[in-house]
Amino acid sequence: MTDLKMLSAQAALVKLFDQDYFSICTIDNISKMMGIKPEREAYQILNTLHCVHYDQMPSALLQALPELIMRVMQSPALDASRINIVSEGSSLKLVKH
């Protein structure tokens, strides 16, 4: 089941990054599915960005999003090393290994 959960998490992140805006709902759903207790500070920053369009974020903030997402999803239940998020211009992208 863990592989299906990981595939589901990756698919949800791909959808999140294909959108024009950030949605904390995706992070919430992945965290709940994987039994992850989000790291508080990173989660608060991401939660504040709910529904903010990527092209409206300062470049430094957009570049920080991959690290913030990874901090939120740090858990033995999720092999986060299988997820590689990069900032690309005014959007995010999930890169497959």
Side-chain angles (χ1 to χ4, degrees):
M1 186 63 96
T2 301
D3 284 340
L4 290 177
K5 286 182 178 181
M6 188 61 170
L7 291 172
S8 178
Q10 289 174 330
L13 287 170
V14 167
K15 180 182 180 236
L16 173 64
F17 304 146
D18 282 346
Q19 297 175 157
D20 295 330
Y21 59 92
F22 180 79
S23 174
I24 195 65
C25 298
T26 300
I27 303 303
D28 289 341
N29 290 337
I30 292 170
S31 296
K32 184 177 177 180
M33 175 184 67
M34 300 302 283
I36 296 169
K37 182 178 179 194
E39 192 267 325
R40 185 181 177 104
E41 182 182 35
Y43 182 84
Q44 287 175 331
I45 294 168
L46 293 176
N47 192 44
T48 302
L49 297 173
H50 180 64
C51 289
V52 175
H53 286 253
Y54 295 120
D55 64 0
Q56 298 298 311
M57 294 180 191
S59 177
L61 179 58
L62 186 64
Q63 290 175 1
L65 284 180
E67 180 184 337
L68 290 168
I69 292 168
M70 296 309 287
R71 280 176 46 197
V72 166
M73 296 196 299
Q74 292 295 325
S75 167
L78 176 65
D79 181 5
S81 68
R82 292 174 56 188
I83 298 174
N84 189 14
I85 304 165
V86 295
S87 172
E88 188 173 83
S90 63
S91 65
L92 296 178
K93 179 174 144 180
L94 185 70
V95 177
K96 296 189 179 196
H97 295 273

